[in-house]
Amino acid sequence: MRALVTLLLSSAALLLFLPGPARAAVVCLDCHDRNQFTNLVVHEPVREEKCTRCHNPHVARHDGLLMVREGRLCYSCHDQLPNRFNRGYVHGPVADGQCTVCHDPHASAGASLVNEDLARNCLVCHDKLPLEFKYVHAPFSNGGCTECHLPHNSEQQGLLKARADELCLSCHQPESLQNGHENFPADPAGCLTCHNPHGSDRPGLVRNVLHPPFEKDCATCHGLKKMQAAVCLDCHHGVSEEMMRIHSHLTRQDGNSCLNCHSPHAGDDERLLRGPLQQLCVSCHMDVIEGYRLSTYKHPAMQNCGDCHEPHASNTLSMLKGDGIEVCARCHESQGAFSHPIGGDVIDERTGQAMTCVTCHNPMGTEFAFHLLDDRGKGLCILCHKNY
Amino acid sequence: MLKHRTARLNDVVRSRQSPGRAIQERARVLSASPQPCSEEGAGRHHSVAPWLILAVLLLWICGPARVSADDSPWQWTMALKQNLLKDSMIMPTSLYIDEEKEQYYVVDSGRNRILSFNRDGELLTIFNAGRSLDTPFDMVRSDDGLIWIVEKGRNSLTSVNLKEKAVQPMTLRFDGALLYPDRLEYHDGLLYVLDKMTGDVVAFDLGLTPRKRYACSDCVEGFIDFRIHGDRLWALDNPGGKIVVFAMDGTVEERMDLGDPVTYPYSLAVGPAGYIYILDRQKRNIAVYDKTGTYKYSFLRYGFARGEMYYPTEIRFDPWGRLCITDEGNARVEVFSR
C-alpha cells in the first residue's frame, strides 16, 4: 500500500514540475479563457496547446511575456519570410517586425490569421484615407484592398501588385477606354495622373482638383517643343524663383522633374501631388528613410518629410526649412534655455561654426539615446571637451 | 536602382557610426598592416619585401604627426577655412585652384564671397565684388584674366573684370531654352557649364555662344557633376550610379558602373595616375576606382572633427596631387595628401 501511495505521489509531483507544452497549456488555460483562442483558423502552436513556444510563463522582457521580440519570434518558425519581405518597398509594420498589427497570433476568422474584414484591418492605420466619395472604385468599396496592393512588400510604390497602368488594364480593357479618351494614344498610360483609384466626387473617378490648363486647353502645355520643367516654371513664377537656391530638386528626371511629384492633369488637392508626400520622397530617397528606420533611436512622429524639409529648394543644408536651431525650435521651444548653450555666440571649435541642435543630435537616427551622436555618459562630450 | 540602393543601406548606417567608435576603428586600422604607398597599390594585396617593411616602419616612426584617413594612403594635410570666430564660411560649395598663382579660391555661398588662400592654406583675401554677389556657387578664371562665377541667386554666369572693377551677370541659353548653371569648368578657351534643368554639360566660348552639348541619353536625371581630365569629359550620373566619359567632340567613349560601394555619388575627380575618386554624400566617404573602373577602397567618414565629413559637396585634385574636399556642412575645404 505504501509503495502504491509513493508511486502516485511521485507521478503527481512529476506531472506538476514536468516542463512541456501539453502541461503548460493545461495550466495556462486554467486561467485564460479557451474561447479566446478558438476560431475558424487557429495558429498551429495554439491548436497544439504549446503556449510556451511563444510565451514564458514566469517572466519576460517583452509584452505578453513573449520569449523574444515580436517579429523575431514569428520568424523563428516562419524563417523563409525575412528574405522575401526584405525586397523593394516594405510595408511599415513588416519593416518594424510588428506582425500582429495585421495577424492575430492565436486564432482568426480569416485566412492567414488575418481579420476576415481585411479592409477594416487596413483602415485602422490608414485612417486618413478618405472614405466618403460620390463615386467609389468597386474593389475599394468592397474592401478588396489586396486586389491591388500587396500586404508585405512590393517592387512597386504604394505596395501595388504591378505597375499602376498594368494593374488598371488587367480589368479595364484598352478598347473600352477609347470611348472616354478621345485622341488618347493607342496604349493608355499614366492612369493615376488623372484618376483616383479609390474614389472621387467626379464621374470616371477623375481626381477632384483639375490643373487649369488641363481643364481649359491641353495645348497650353502639349505641343510645345520640350516638356521640361521650364514648361511648368513659365507659369509657376514663385517656384521658378525657388529654383535659384543652392540646393533644389530641379533635375531632368525623365524629362521634367516637376512631374516626379506633381500630376500635370489632376490631383486630390491643389498641390496636385501624385501621392502622399512621404511616399513621393521615398521613391528617390529610399536610403535615407531606411537609415531612419534601421536606427535604434530617432526623432519620433516623423510622418511627413515636409515638416522639416523644403520640397522644392533651399539655401540650407539638407534643404531644411531653417538652420539647425530654427527647425527644431518650432516645437522644442525651451530646450536651448536649459541644455548645452547653442546659437551664434557658441562656436564649435572643430568647425568654427555656431553650435546648433544637430551638433549633438541627428534626428534621422543614431544608435544612442535621444538620437545623440555618441554616448551621453561621456563619449559625446569628449568629442569637443577633450580634457574631460 | 531601388534594389541597388537598398542593398547598400547597411553600409550607410555603418558609415554613420559615432565619431567615438570611429576613433577606435581608426586605432584598429593603424595597428594593422602597413599602408599602401602608391595610388595603384592601394587596396591591393601582394607580397612585400622586408626592406620595404623596414622603410615603411621608419617612415611611420619618424614621419610628422598626422591624422589617418582610415586604411587609405591619404593623410590630412590642412584645412582651408576662415579662422576668425563668427566670420566662418557658411556653406562653401566649390573650390577653384589657380595653378599659375598657386592659390586656392573657395566659394563661400552663404556669405556671398570668395576667399583666396595660398598653397600653404593661409588666408590671403576675401572678395565679394562690391557686395554684389548673390549666392555664388562655383567659379573659374579664364586665360584672359576674367573671373567667371555661377550665381545661383541670379541664375547667371557672371563675369568679373578685376582691372576694370566690372561685374556682368549673364543668363545662358541653348536652343532658346534658359539654362540653370550649376557646376563650372574652364578648358582650352571654353567654359563648360552643367545645366541643372537638363543635367547636360554645355560648352560656351568666352562670348557665351554655345558650342557643344554633352548629353546622356540613358540617364534618368542627367549629370550631377563633371570634370575635364586628359582631354576627356568625365560626367557623373547620380541615380544611375555611373560615369559617362566623353571625347571632347561629344561622342561617348566609355561608361563605368560604380556598383555597390557608393550610395549617393555626388562629385568626382580623376587623380594624377588616372584613378577615379567618387564622393558619396550620403555615406560621407570617397570611393576609389582604378582606371578600368574596378573598385579599390573607400576612406573618410561622417563627423565634424578634422578629417571628417558632414555635408561634402565637391572633390577635386590640385595641381600638386593633393585631394581637396569642399565640405559645406563643416564650412571648410579639407586637403589630403599622400
Side-chain angles (χ1 to χ4, degrees):
Chain A
M1 186 59 189
R2 180 180 289 178
L4 184 63
V5 170
T6 307
L7 182 66
L8 281 172
L9 284 173
S10 304
S11 302
L14 194 65
L15 276 173
L16 193 63
F17 294 105
L18 188 71
R23 175 70 206 145
V26 171
V27 175
C28 300
L29 297 175
D30 285 350
C31 297
H32 298 277
D33 182 4
R34 186 181 291 271
N35 291 328
Q36 289 182 339
F37 312 111
T38 308
N39 212 326
L40 294 177
V41 183
V42 181
H43 199 196
E44 186 182 309
V46 179
R47 192 174 62 238
E48 295 176 358
E49 299 190 349
K50 294 176 179 174
C51 306
T52 52
R53 286 265 293 271
C54 298
H55 302 279
N56 186 314
H58 300 123
V59 64
R61 287 174 179 272
H62 307 279
D63 282 348
L65 294 177
L66 290 180
M67 307 276 239
V68 292
R69 192 160 47 83
E70 183 183 324
R72 197 178 294 172
L73 183 64
C74 304
Y75 293 148
S76 65
C77 291
H78 302 278
D79 54 357
Q80 304 296 315
L81 298 182
N83 284 337
R84 272 177 47 197
F85 295 164
N86 201 21
R87 290 170 235 160
Y89 296 92
V90 184
H91 197 197
V94 179
D96 294 337
Q98 296 175 329
C99 309
T100 57
V101 168
C102 299
H103 300 277
D104 190 311
H106 299 120
S108 169
S112 303
L113 294 169
V114 174
N115 193 319
E116 63 178 335
D117 186 356
L118 178 68
R120 199 173 65 190
N121 235 17
C122 301
L123 293 174
V124 169
C125 296
H126 298 277
D127 54 352
K128 292 193 173 67
L129 196 63
L131 300 176
E132 299 294 326
F133 297 109
K134 200 170 173 183
Y135 302 92
V136 189
H137 197 203
F140 181 67
S141 63
N142 296 338
C145 305
T146 52
E147 287 191 36
C148 297
H149 301 278
L150 290 168
H152 298 117
N153 63 320
S154 168
E155 295 295 330
Q156 305 299 327
Q157 212 174 340
L159 297 179
L160 290 178
K161 282 182 162 178
R163 281 197 319 111
D165 291 348
E166 283 175 28
L167 210 51
C168 301
L169 294 173
S170 66
C171 293
H172 304 276
Q173 298 304 314
E175 306 80 51
S176 68
L177 298 176
Q178 291 299 329
N179 292 336
H181 299 83
E182 288 176 31
N183 302 322
F184 204 78
D187 297 323
C191 308
L192 300 187
T193 64
C194 294
H195 302 281
N196 185 323
H198 299 124
S200 167
D201 293 336
R202 292 175 181 275
L205 302 183
V206 172
R207 293 180 188 269
N208 286 340
V209 182
L210 302 183
H211 194 203
F214 173 68
E215 205 169 9
K216 291 172 188 165
D217 183 8
C218 303
T220 308
C221 303
H222 290 281
L224 297 177
K225 189 178 175 186
K226 286 175 182 173
M227 288 291 284
Q228 291 170 347
V231 175
C232 307
L233 299 180
D234 277 350
C235 294
H236 297 275
H237 300 295
V239 181
S240 177
E241 285 177 13
E242 287 182 57
M243 293 303 139
M244 296 181 192
R245 294 178 183 166
I246 296 172
H247 296 291
S248 76
H249 272 146
L250 182 66
T251 62
R252 184 171 72 185
Q253 198 70 40
D254 284 333
N256 185 336
S257 54
C258 305
L259 303 187
N260 207 35
C261 298
H262 301 276
S263 164
H265 301 132
D268 297 326
D269 64 28
E270 68 282 356
R271 296 174 299 172
L272 304 183
L273 288 176
R274 283 177 179 265
L277 188 61
Q278 183 108 336
Q279 198 179 88
L280 294 171
C281 301
V282 170
S283 65
C284 291
H285 300 284
M286 180 82 150
D287 40 7
V288 177
I289 303 294
E290 282 296 288
Y292 173 77
R293 191 178 62 74
L294 292 172
S295 297
T296 308
Y297 298 93
K298 51 212 166 194
H299 193 283
M302 297 207 336
Q303 298 299 319
N304 190 344
C305 306
D307 287 346
C308 298
H309 299 276
E310 293 283 3
H312 290 143
S314 170
N315 277 336
T316 59
L317 291 173
S318 262
M319 286 175 57
L320 285 171
K321 287 189 163 174
D323 65 26
I325 296 175
E326 287 166 352
V327 173
C328 307
R330 293 174 309 163
C331 297
H332 302 277
E333 294 172 357
S334 57
Q335 249 76 0
F338 61 81
S339 65
H340 190 289
I342 53 173
D345 293 331
V346 188
I347 303 299
D348 181 346
E349 290 187 0
R350 298 170 300 174
T351 63
Q353 297 193 102
M355 279 198 71
T356 68
C357 308
V358 295
T359 306
C360 297
H361 299 272
N362 182 352
M364 295 306 290
T366 73
E367 295 308 303
F368 301 96
F370 303 107
H371 41 88
L372 288 165
L373 295 179
D374 210 316
D375 172 34
R376 61 180 162 150
K378 186 178 181 186
L380 182 72
C381 307
I382 62 169
L383 292 175
C384 295
H385 304 281
K386 295 198 181 301
N387 295 328
Y388 275 34
Chain B
M1 189 59 215
L2 179 68
K3 289 183 207 163
H4 185 59
R5 284 190 168 168
T6 310
R8 296 175 297 198
L9 283 174
N10 288 338
D11 288 345
V12 178
V13 174
R14 206 175 302 131
S15 73
R16 285 180 184 164
Q17 65 180 328
S18 77
R21 283 189 184 177
I23 290 167
Q24 292 167 15
E25 178 69 13
R26 188 187 309 164
R28 186 188 65 74
V29 168
L30 283 174
S31 63
S33 57
Q35 309 298 300
C37 294
S38 69
E39 194 171 62
E40 288 75 8
R44 190 190 299 165
H45 299 283
H46 50 80
S47 59
V48 183
W51 62 266
L52 188 57
I53 296 173
L54 189 64
V56 170
L57 278 173
L58 278 172
L59 274 172
W60 187 257
I61 293 164
C62 305
R66 59 206 158 168
V67 174
S68 166
D70 293 343
D71 52 349
S72 83
W74 293 96
Q75 307 296 329
W76 182 90
T77 302
M78 64 181 180
L80 308 178
K81 61 180 183 179
Q82 164 62 295
N83 287 319
L84 274 180
L85 294 181
K86 299 188 181 180
D87 192 37
S88 68
M89 293 189 277
I90 297 175
M91 295 180 70
T93 48
S94 68
L95 174 73
Y96 171 72
I97 304 133
D98 191 324
E99 184 174 5
E100 188 185 324
K101 292 184 176 179
E102 297 197 350
Q103 286 182 10
Y104 297 100
Y105 296 85
V106 182
V107 178
D108 182 1
S109 64
R111 290 200 194 269
N112 296 316
R113 61 188 186 176
I114 291 163
L115 286 71
S116 65
F117 298 83
N118 68 16
R119 194 173 158 176
D120 298 322
E122 293 161 355
L123 179 65
L124 299 175
T125 58
I126 297 176
F127 170 72
N128 62 14
R131 300 194 176 196
S132 68
L133 298 180
D134 185 356
T135 324
F137 185 77
D138 205 346
M139 68 159 281
V140 296
R141 190 170 71 96
S142 53
D143 294 335
D144 56 7
L146 286 181
I147 293 174
W148 299 86
I149 301 171
V150 169
E151 286 188 272
K152 287 274 185 179
R154 290 197 173 86
N155 192 34
S156 71
L157 181 58
T158 301
S159 69
V160 178
N161 188 327
L162 292 175
K163 285 179 188 169
E164 298 177 9
K165 295 187 176 176
V167 179
Q168 181 70 46
M170 287 164 279
T171 50
L172 299 178
R173 289 185 180 274
F174 187 90
D175 273 354
L178 179 68
L179 267 57
Y180 285 75
D182 195 69
R183 290 293 172 199
L184 179 64
E185 290 277 294
Y186 179 74
H187 180 74
D188 267 357
L190 293 176
L191 295 159
Y192 292 80
V193 180
L194 176 61
D195 173 26
K196 201 160 165 56
M197 172 73 82
T198 60
D200 297 339
V201 177
V202 182
F204 291 86
D205 62 24
L206 295 182
L208 297 189
T209 304
R211 294 296 180 192
K212 192 165 291 297
R213 179 190 285 265
Y214 301 82
C216 179
S217 57
D218 60 347
C219 300
V220 176
E221 288 186 5
F223 300 124
I224 194 168
D225 193 21
F226 72 101
R227 292 283 175 272
I228 296 170
H229 177 87
D231 274 335
R232 301 206 295 173
L233 190 146
W234 303 64
L236 181 61
D237 168 17
N238 166 303
K242 67 174 183 287
I243 298 170
V244 182
V245 187
F246 294 89
M248 296 313 285
D249 65 4
T251 55
V252 174
E253 287 191 338
E254 206 175 341
R255 282 183 168 81
M256 291 181 189
D257 185 6
L258 300 172
D260 286 345
V262 292
T263 300
Y264 199 81
Y266 203 75
S267 180
L268 86 164
V270 186
Y275 270 40
I276 304 152
Y277 293 73
I278 304 294
L279 171 66
D280 190 325
R281 187 169 166 96
Q282 185 70 27
K283 289 166 101 170
R284 274 81 169 186
N285 68 10
I286 290 172
V288 184
Y289 297 77
D290 70 12
K291 293 175 186 175
T292 65
T294 305
Y295 171 72
K296 304 305 285 184
Y297 64 98
S298 295
F299 65 105
L300 296 181
R301 69 174 72 78
Y302 174 93
F304 307 92
R306 198 167 78 171
E308 295 177 336
M309 305 288 118
Y310 185 32
Y311 274 97
T313 188
E314 185 200 59
I315 54 171
R316 60 172 65 243
F317 277 91
D318 68 15
W320 312 289
R322 300 189 288 196
L323 183 61
C324 308
I325 305 164
T326 306
D327 184 351
E328 60 177 343
N330 282 329
R332 65 193 176 205
V333 176
E334 299 267 68
V335 181
F336 293 84
S337 53
R338 302 172 67 85

